[in-house]
Amino acid sequence: MTSQAYCTIPNFILDDLKTCIEAGIVPRIRHGISGNNHTTWRIRFSLWVDRDRGYPKYYDFEVEVIGSYQRFIDHRLVAGPGFDDVAQECTSMAACIELAKAKVAELEAKESST
């Protein structure tokens, strides 16, 4: 049996998780990785598209949240359709969610036109 260490989640991460839940998104979180004064957390979420023309589809996104001394510094949308290997700076978790939704709408429009 392996044991997992417990971690303390700072308030700014709790706020981000609450933002996801209020948007109807179930977040997944990876423990913060520390270095010097900074901690980097990863929050993943999926956007569900219920298509009229066929099967439903999930789009997965990942946000990197950086904090220092238990305070928020930066949000970056780092993975997802159209964002792989190109981090997109955002002002908040809500901004990351809106950007992801816009990207999904763009992809869905492109796919329905083909």
Side-chain angles (χ1 to χ4, degrees):
M1 181 172 154
T2 61
S3 63
Q4 296 291 323
Y6 288 93
C7 67
T8 301
I9 298 175
N11 283 335
F12 67 90
I13 294 296
L14 290 175
D15 290 342
D16 284 349
L17 297 176
K18 182 179 175 187
T19 298
C20 288
I21 291 166
E22 289 173 348
I25 295 168
V26 178
R28 299 174 306 278
I29 187 167
R30 190 171 80 194
H31 182 275
I33 300 169
S34 299
N36 293 338
N37 306 333
H38 293 73
T39 304
T40 302
W41 295 78
R42 295 283 179 137
I43 298 175
R44 288 187 147 207
F45 62 90
S46 299
L47 297 178
W48 168 267
V49 177
D50 192 12
R51 298 172 167 175
D52 292 335
R53 64 188 181 282
Y55 61 92
K57 185 171 183 177
Y58 278 105
Y59 290 91
D60 294 318
F61 294 90
E62 186 170 322
V63 176
E64 182 179 79
V65 184
I66 300 171
S68 179
Y69 298 109
Q70 303 297 318
R71 297 169 72 163
F72 158 75
I73 294 178
D74 196 19
H75 286 92
R76 292 183 189 132
L77 192 54
V78 295
F83 297 103
D84 295 327
D85 299 325
V86 179
Q88 176 71 45
E89 300 282 333
C90 295
T91 57
S92 66
M93 189 65 181
C96 289
I97 292 169
E98 290 306 313
L99 184 58
K101 286 180 178 180
K103 183 51 101 175
V104 166
E106 178 185 313
L107 292 170
E108 285 291 306
K110 183 187 287 186
E111 192 169 312
S112 68
S113 68
T114 57

